[in-house]
C-alpha cells in the first residue's frame, strides 16, 4: 500500500483538512503497512523507543504516556483544534463539524460553573448540585422538579402561569409577593377545588371563600377594621373586644334571636346598662349593694301603669291599675304603713298596737280571743255559749246604725228605738212624726203577706220627699220638677205592659269627639252626634256585641271629618245588614249601597262615602251577631258616591 498523507488544510483550522477520524485512519493504515499485523507491531509500547516521540507510545487503541501522573496534551498550532471524528476541541471549546449539536449520551457532571449562552433542551432530568444561573428566560416544556430551594434573587422577580401568562406572581421589594391577572380580572388562589379560594374581586377587597367553613386557628385573631358578618358567628370559646361591640346602625341589631338565646351575661363592677337613643334610662351596678335605676325612671310590668319607681330621693313607689299582690309567708313592715285606700288582707298579725285612722273593712274573719267577726258581719264565739254584750257600770249599748238579725230575737218588754216603739205586733211613733223605713244602700224594704193594706188618707206614699205614689199615679209634687226613674249600674227600667206617653219624649244627646266604645246603658236610644272638634282626626266607635236587645243607635254628623268616622262591630262574629242611600249633589241622583254578607264596618270619609254635616244613619241590634242599618248621606259636587261598607274586623 502506498503511503497515505494526512490533509492538514491550507491554513490552521480552515476546515479543509482531513477530519480527525480520517487522519487517524490514514495513520493506522500506514502503521499497518509498515509493521504488519503481528502482536509486536500493535503493541509499540513494548518497543524500547516510544513510537510517538518523547514519552508517548501507542498501546492497542490507547495513546499512553511513559510519565507517571502527568497529562497528555493534544495541542494544535494556532487556532487549530483537535478533531475526533466530527467532534472538534479548540482550546476550551467543544463543537461539531458535521451537525449543529453535540450529543453526550452518558451522565454529565460539571464540577465548576456551567455557562450556557444558547438554549438548553433536555429530554430527561437536569441535576445541578451547585448554583444554576440563567442569563435569559428558561423555558421548560415539561415539569420542573427541585430537590432543594428555589431562589429568585432579583427585586421584582415574576413567576407567570398560563399559555398567555395571564396569571403572575411578582416579588415586591421588602413587602412580599403580588398575585395579579393581566386582563384586569380577579386573581384567585384556590385549594382542593374552585370552592375553596382566596381572591380579590375588587380593588381594596380581599375575598376568602369556602363552600363549608373557613377556619382560622391562632391564639389571638386581631381584626383592626370593621367586621361585617352577614351570617352567624359561632364561638367555641370567648369572643373578646378591645373597645365596644356596636351595630352597624342605631337600633340596627339584636343580641340573640327568638330561637337562639345567649346564656349568662357578666358585667364588671360599676357597669352601666344604657337604654334609649339618648341613653335617658340607665341601670348601674354598685359593688356589694345592687342595681340602681336612674332618676325617677320606672321599672314597668305589662304596661306603664304597673311599676316600681323612686319617685323622690327618699320615697319608693309601687303603682298598679288594680292591685299590688304581695305573696309571702310573712310580710314584715318595720316602719309606719300609711294606707290611704282600702287594705284587703287574708290575715293581719300585729305584735304591737294596730292603729286605724279611718274606717276599717275586714273582708275575712277577725278573731279576738274567743270572739269571731266574720266577713259577712256575723259575730260568733268559739264555743256554744252565749254572746254577751255587757257594758260596765252605767254604760249602754249604743247602736247608731241599722240592725240586721237573721235568727230569732227575743226582747222582754217594750223596745224603743229613738222615736220608734215596737210593742207586741205594733210599730208606732210615741210622739208626733212619721215612720221612715230606710234600708241600707242597695237594699230594699220588703212587705210580705197575703193582703197588704194601706189605710192612710188617699193611700198616698211620699218617695224621696217630692215624689208621691197615689192609687194609680207616680207623681212629682214639686212644681215644674222633673221625675227621674233610673237604675244602678247596667240595670234597666222595664215596662211590662203598654206604655202610653201623653206628653213628649225627649231622648238625650251625646257627642262623640274621639274614639270610644258604644254601650247600651250610655248610648242606646239617644241622639248620637259625630262631632270631632277639628274635623281632621280619626274617630273609631265600637258597637257592643249584638244579642237581639232591640237597642237603637242613631248617629248624626255634626262636624265633617276628612280623617274618617268609623263605626264597627265588636268582633268577627257580628255583621251589619241593610242599605244606605246617597245623594250625589252633582246631578241630584240617588244611589243605594247595600251591605254584603261579611260587612262589619262603616267608614264615613267626609267625601265619597258621606259624613258631611247633616248626614244620618241608624243601627239596630236585631239578633245575635246581627245589626240592621239604614241611613241617608250626601256626596258633595266633584265626587262620586262609594260604598261605606267593608269587612275589616278580624
Amino acid at each position: 500500500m502506498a503511503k497515505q498523507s494526512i490533509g492538514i488544510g491550507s491554513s490552521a483550522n480552515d476546515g479543509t483538512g482531513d477530519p480527525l477520524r480520517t487522519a487517524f485512519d490514514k495513520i493506522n493504515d500506514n502503521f499497518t503497512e509498515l509493521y504488519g499485523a503481528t502482536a509486536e507491531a500493535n503493541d509499540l509500547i513494548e518497543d524500547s523507543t516510544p513510537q510517538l516521540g518523547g514519552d508517548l507510545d501507542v498501546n492497542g487503541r490507547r495513546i499512553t504516556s511513559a510519565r507517571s501522573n502527568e497529562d497528555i496534551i493534544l495541542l494544535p498550532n494556532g487556532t487549530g483544534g483537535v478533531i475526533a471524528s466530527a467532534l472538534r476541541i479548540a482550546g476550551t471549546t467543544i463543537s461539531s463539524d458535521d451537525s449543529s449539536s453535540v450529543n453526550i449520551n452518558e451522565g454529565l457532571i460539571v464540577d465548576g460553573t456551567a455557562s450556557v449562552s444558547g438554549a438548553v433542551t433536555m429530554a430527561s432530568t437536569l441535576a445541578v448540585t451547585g448554583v444554576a444561573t440563567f442569563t435569559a428566560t428558561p423555558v421548560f416544556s415539561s415539569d420542573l422538579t427541585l430537590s432543594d430551594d428555589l431562589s429568585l434573587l432579583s427585586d421584582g422577580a415574576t413567576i407567570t402561569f398560563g399559555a398567555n401568562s395571564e396569571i403572575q406572581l411578582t416579588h415586591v421589594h421588602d413587602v412580599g409577593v403580588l398575585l395579579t391577572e393581566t386582563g384586569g380580572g380577579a386573581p384567585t388562589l384556590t385549594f382542593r377545588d374552585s370552592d375553596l379560594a382566596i381572591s380579590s374581586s375588587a380593588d381594596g377587597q380581599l375575598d376568602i371563600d369556602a363552600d363549608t367553613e373557613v377556619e382560622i386557628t391562632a391564639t389571638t385573631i386581631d381584626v383592626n377594621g370593621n367586621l361585617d358578618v352577614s351570617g352567624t358567628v359561632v364561638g367555641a370559646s370567648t369572643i373578646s373586644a378591645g373597645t365596644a361591640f356596636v351595630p352597624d346602625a342605631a337600633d340596627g341589631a339584636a343580641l340573640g334571636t327568638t330561637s337562639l338565646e345567649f346564656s349568662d351575661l357578666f358585667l364588671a363592677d360599676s357597669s352601666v346598662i344604657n337604654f334609649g337613643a339618648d341613653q335617658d334610662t340607665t341601670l348601674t351596678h354598685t359593688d356589694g349593694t345592687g342595681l340602681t335605676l336612674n332618676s325617677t325612671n320606672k321599672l314597668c310590668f305589662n304596661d306603664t301603669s304597673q311599676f316600681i319607681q323612686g319617685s323622690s330621693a327618699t320615697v319608693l313607689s309601687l303603682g298598679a291599675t288594680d292591685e299590688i299582690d304581695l305573696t309571702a309567708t310573712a310580710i314584715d313592715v318595720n316602719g309606719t304603713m300609711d294606707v290611704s285606700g282600702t287594705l284587703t288582707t287574708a290575715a293581719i298579725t300585729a305584735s304591737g298596737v294596730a292603729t286605724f285612722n279611718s274606717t276599717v273593712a275586714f273582708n275575712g274573719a277577725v278573731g279576738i280571743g274567743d270572739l269571731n267577726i266574720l266577713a259577712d258581719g256575723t259575730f260568733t264565739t268559739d264555743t256554744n255559749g252565749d254572746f254577751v254584750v255587757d257594758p260596765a257600770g252605767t254604760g249602754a249599748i249604743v247602736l247608731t246604725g241599722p240592725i240586721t238579725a237573721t235568727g230569732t230575737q227575743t226582747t222582754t218588754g217594750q223596745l224603743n228605738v229613738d222615736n220608734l216603739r215596737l210593742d207586741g205586733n205594733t210599730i208606732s211613733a210615741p210622739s208626733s212624726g212619721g215612720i221612715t223605713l230606710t234600708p241600707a244602700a242597695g237594699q230594699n224594704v220588703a212587705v210580705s203577706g197575703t193582703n197588704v193594706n194601706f189605710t192612710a188618707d188617699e193611700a198616698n206614699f211620699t218617695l224621696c220627699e217630692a215624689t208621691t205614689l197615689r192609687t194609680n199615679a207616680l207623681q212629682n209634687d214639686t212644681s215644674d220638677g222633673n221625675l227621674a226613674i233610673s237604675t244602678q249600674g247596667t240595670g234597666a227600667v222595664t215596662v211590662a205592659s203598654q206604655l202610653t206617653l201623653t206628653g213628649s219624649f225627649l231622648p238625650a244627646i251625646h257627642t262623640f269627639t274621639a274614639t270610644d266604645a258604644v254601650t247600651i246603658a250610655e248610648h242606646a236610644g239617644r241622639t248620637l252626634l259625630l262631632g270631632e272638634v277639628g274635623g281632621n282626626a280619626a274617630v273609631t266607635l265600637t258597637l257592643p256585641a249584638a244579642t237581639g236587645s232591640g237597642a237603637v243607635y242613631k248617629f248624626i254628623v255634626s262636624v265633617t271629618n276628612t280623617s274618617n268616622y268609623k263605626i264597627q262591630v265588636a268582633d268577627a262574629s257580628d255583621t251589619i245588614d241593610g242599605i244606605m242611600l246617597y245623594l250625589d249633589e252633582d246631578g241630584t241622583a240617588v244611589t243605594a249601597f247595600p251591605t254584603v254578607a261579611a260587612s262589619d264596618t262603616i267608614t264615613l270619609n267626609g267625601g265619597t262615602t258621606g259624613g258631611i254635616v247633616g248626614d244620618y244613619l241608624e243601627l239596630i241590634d236585631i239578633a245575635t251577631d246581627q245589626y240592621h242599618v239604614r241611613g241617608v248621606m250626601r256626596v258633595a259636587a266633584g265626587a262620586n258616591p262609594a260604598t261605606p261598607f267593608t269587612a275589616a274586623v278580624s
Side-chain angles (χ1 to χ4, degrees):
M1 184 185 70
K3 176 182 177 182
Q4 300 183 71
S5 299
I6 298 174
I8 61 175
S10 301
S11 61
N13 298 323
D14 62 358
T16 62
D18 291 335
L20 190 59
R21 178 179 177 81
T22 301
F24 278 103
D25 186 58
K26 290 179 180 180
I27 293 173
N28 287 338
D29 289 344
N30 288 335
F31 277 110
T32 300
E33 180 70 22
L34 179 61
Y35 295 104
T38 63
E40 292 80 5
N42 293 324
D43 191 10
L44 299 180
I45 196 170
E46 296 180 358
D47 296 341
S48 61
T49 301
Q51 299 302 306
L52 299 180
D55 297 319
L56 295 177
D57 207 344
V58 177
N59 185 6
R61 293 178 293 174
R62 299 180 179 178
I63 300 176
T64 64
S65 174
R67 295 185 181 184
S68 178
N69 300 324
E70 290 196 15
D71 300 330
I72 296 176
I73 300 173
L74 301 178
L75 182 62
N77 189 17
T79 60
V82 177
I83 299 174
S85 184
L87 185 66
R88 174 184 293 274
I89 301 174
T92 59
T93 300
I94 300 176
S95 62
S96 175
D97 282 353
D98 63 355
S99 66
S100 60
S101 63
V102 176
N103 294 330
I104 301 175
N105 296 323
E106 303 295 336
L108 177 63
I109 299 175
V110 181
D111 292 326
T113 300
S115 178
V116 182
S117 59
V120 178
T121 302
M122 294 175 291
S124 184
T125 301
L126 172 65
V128 182
T129 59
V131 177
T133 301
F134 301 94
T135 59
T137 302
V139 178
F140 302 95
S141 59
S142 61
D143 297 338
L144 174 63
T145 301
L146 304 176
S147 61
D148 210 333
D149 300 334
L150 173 65
S151 299
L152 305 179
L153 302 180
S154 173
D155 286 340
T158 301
I159 300 176
T160 62
F161 302 86
N164 57 352
S165 301
E166 79 280 4
I167 301 300
Q168 296 184 352
L169 192 63
T170 305
H171 168 256
V172 181
H173 179 62
D174 290 338
V175 176
V177 292
L178 174 66
L179 180 65
T180 58
E181 202 278 325
T182 58
T188 303
L189 181 63
T190 62
F191 305 84
R192 294 179 180 265
D193 55 42
S194 59
D195 293 328
L196 301 173
I198 300 175
S199 64
S200 176
S201 59
D203 187 22
Q205 180 172 328
L206 179 66
D207 303 321
I208 303 177
D209 300 318
D211 51 355
T212 302
E213 178 180 339
V214 176
E215 180 175 341
I216 302 175
T217 303
T219 303
T220 301
I221 300 173
D222 188 3
V223 180
N224 294 314
N226 295 328
L227 181 63
D228 184 2
V229 181
S230 59
T232 301
V233 177
V234 180
S237 184
T238 301
I239 300 176
S240 300
T243 55
F245 285 114
V246 296
D248 58 356
D251 196 19
L255 286 175
T257 67
T258 56
S259 59
L260 297 173
E261 310 90 352
F262 282 94
S263 181
D264 301 328
L265 176 65
F266 297 89
L267 302 177
D269 285 344
S270 303
S271 57
V272 180
I273 301 177
N274 298 274
F275 300 88
D278 55 353
Q279 294 81 55
D280 59 299
T281 301
T282 62
L283 193 63
T284 305
H285 169 257
T286 302
D287 185 29
T289 300
L291 301 174
T292 301
L293 187 64
N294 68 315
S295 186
T296 59
N297 290 326
K298 301 176 180 179
L299 182 61
C300 301
F301 305 85
N302 291 327
D303 55 43
T304 57
S305 66
Q306 303 177 71
F307 61 86
I308 301 175
Q309 178 193 27
S311 54
S312 71
T314 59
V315 177
L316 179 65
S317 301
L318 281 74
T321 306
D322 296 321
E323 178 180 334
I324 296 175
D325 188 1
L326 302 178
T327 303
T329 304
I331 299 175
D332 188 2
V333 181
N334 294 314
T336 301
M337 184 169 65
D338 184 4
V339 181
S340 59
T342 301
L343 177 63
T344 302
T345 69
I348 298 177
T349 301
S351 58
V353 177
T355 301
F356 302 95
N357 296 323
S358 61
T359 302
V360 180
F362 297 97
N363 295 325
V366 178
I368 306 174
D370 291 336
L371 176 65
N372 301 309
I373 305 175
L374 305 183
D376 60 0
T378 302
F379 287 75
T380 66
T381 63
D382 292 339
T383 65
N384 294 322
D386 297 332
F387 176 69
V388 179
V389 181
D390 186 11
T394 58
I397 300 173
V398 180
L399 303 176
T400 59
I403 301 174
T404 301
T406 58
T408 300
Q409 310 299 314
T410 302
T411 301
T412 301
Q414 181 178 283
L415 177 62
N416 297 322
V417 181
D418 198 10
N419 197 38
L420 181 67
R421 175 178 295 172
L422 177 61
D423 189 2
N425 60 357
T426 301
I427 300 176
S428 62
S431 60
S432 61
I435 298 175
T436 303
L437 302 178
T438 305
Q443 304 300 314
N444 301 316
V445 176
V447 180
S448 61
T450 303
N451 297 305
V452 179
N453 299 316
F454 298 94
T455 60
D457 293 341
E458 297 184 0
N460 296 332
F461 298 88
T462 301
L463 307 177
C464 299
E465 297 183 359
T467 303
T468 301
L469 178 63
R470 292 182 169 87
T471 304
N472 60 353
L474 179 63
Q475 299 177 330
N476 186 353
D477 288 341
T478 301
S479 178
D480 299 327
N482 297 327
L483 176 64
I485 302 175
S486 63
T487 63
Q488 295 292 328
T490 59
V493 177
T494 302
V495 179
S497 59
Q498 179 178 324
L499 177 64
T500 302
L501 299 176
T502 59
S504 63
F505 178 76
L506 300 176
I509 294 178
H510 176 83
T511 301
F512 290 105
T513 61
T515 296
D516 200 354
V518 180
T519 66
I520 293 179
E522 188 177 2
H523 305 112
R526 302 178 69 176
T527 299
L528 307 176
L529 301 183
L530 301 178
E532 199 283 315
V533 177
N536 58 357
V539 174
T540 300
L541 305 177
T542 302
L543 299 167
T547 61
S549 65
V552 179
Y553 305 96
K554 180 171 65 178
F555 297 91
I556 299 175
V557 179
S558 62
V559 177
T560 302
N561 185 3
T562 57
S563 293
N564 298 341
Y565 291 119
K566 183 182 291 184
I567 303 172
Q568 63 184 25
V569 300
D571 53 53
S573 299
D574 288 1
T575 58
I576 302 174
D577 300 306
I579 191 170
M580 296 272 283
L581 300 179
Y582 281 78
L583 174 64
D584 187 350
E585 295 186 346
D586 278 330
T588 66
V590 176
T591 303
F593 291 103
T595 59
V596 297
S599 296
D600 56 25
T601 301
I602 301 171
T603 301
L604 309 180
N605 61 12
T608 59
T609 62
I612 62 178
V613 176
D615 287 355
Y616 159 86
L617 67 90
E618 184 178 79
L619 288 149
I620 306 174
D621 180 358
I622 63 173
T624 301
D625 300 332
Q626 187 177 9
Y627 277 94
H628 172 75
V629 65
R630 61 182 179 181
V632 179
M633 301 285 156
R634 292 173 296 157
V635 177
N640 295 320
T643 180
F645 302 115
T646 57
V649 179
S650 61

